[in-house]
Amino acid sequence: ESVLGAGGFGMTYLAHDTHLDNKVAIKEYLPIELAVRASNGNIVPVSTGAEYNYKWGLDRFLQEARLLAKLRHPNIVTVNRYFEANGTAYMVMNYESGASMSQMLKRAPTPDEALLTSILLPLLDGLHAVHIAGFLHRDIKPSNLFIRDSGVPVLLDFGSARLAMG
């Protein structure tokens, strides 16, 4: 339906799941320093020198998708499925309506302690569950802390593909 966001490592789209009749977010692995979209729609490494890092990052993206698909926690983004196509991979996640912490901070730059506590404590609980599963969140920042319309926070974008650039 539309692009929800674009960053250095991928694109996230708003889509409609016709089988379940609901909105989903689809994250596409597309690291702009390593790959481009070819005229046929496939994602290809920018050069033979970038191919190893692209494939390594793709593998990490898929590992992240597998873990998140198994992990069910109210404060961790839910991955319903993942798949490979077009020379890349995709994660299909629940679409969440709300605002990121960075958007909230633009509107109210100095939130009170009670609000911060109500956001951070559940996120830390979710992060603990991720750590118990043997995984790390490699990109914690306000834009990856999302507050649903219900007020429940959720941790997004685990950043595993960023390792490909390291």
Side-chain angles (χ1 to χ4, degrees):
E1 294 183 7
S2 65
V3 174
L4 290 172
F9 293 89
M11 303 273 291
T12 304
Y13 307 96
L14 174 62
H16 184 82
D17 184 325
T18 56
H19 295 289
L20 299 175
D21 193 27
N22 64 356
K23 289 183 177 184
V24 295
I26 301 175
K27 182 177 177 182
E28 175 184 46
Y29 174 67
L30 177 55
I32 59 174
E33 291 189 26
L34 299 176
V36 294
R37 191 178 314 276
S39 60
N40 65 0
N42 285 348
I43 306 302
V44 296
V46 293
S47 67
T48 54
E51 188 171 358
Y52 175 82
N53 285 340
Y54 175 77
K55 288 182 178 179
W56 192 87
L58 178 61
D59 183 60
R60 295 309 168 279
F61 182 90
L62 287 166
Q63 284 180 22
E64 176 183 319
R66 278 190 216 59
L67 170 83
L68 292 174
K70 293 176 190 173
L71 189 65
R72 294 290 184 233
H73 191 282
N75 305 107
I76 301 297
V77 65
T78 300
V79 171
N80 297 313
R81 66 184 70 87
Y82 57 92
F83 60 94
E84 291 183 73
N86 306 318
T88 191
Y90 302 85
M91 283 187 224
V92 181
M93 302 167 284
N94 287 351
Y95 170 72
E96 303 288 356
S97 182
S100 72
M101 186 73 174
S102 62
Q103 292 168 320
M104 290 179 63
L105 290 172
K106 286 179 185 169
R107 290 191 301 259
T110 53
D112 64 28
E113 181 180 350
L115 176 62
L116 289 175
T117 301
S118 73
I119 293 169
L120 295 177
L121 290 181
L123 290 175
L124 289 172
D125 185 53
L127 198 54
H128 179 69
V130 170
H131 291 172
I132 287 173
F135 204 71
L136 297 174
H137 191 297
R138 301 183 190 277
D139 197 25
I140 295 176
K141 59 187 177 187
S143 60
N144 288 338
L145 308 179
F146 195 80
I147 315 305
R148 296 176 176 112
D149 286 339
S150 66
V152 175
V154 63
L155 195 53
L156 307 174
D157 196 356
F158 278 60
S160 62
R162 282 161 187 74
L163 294 174
M165 298 302 291

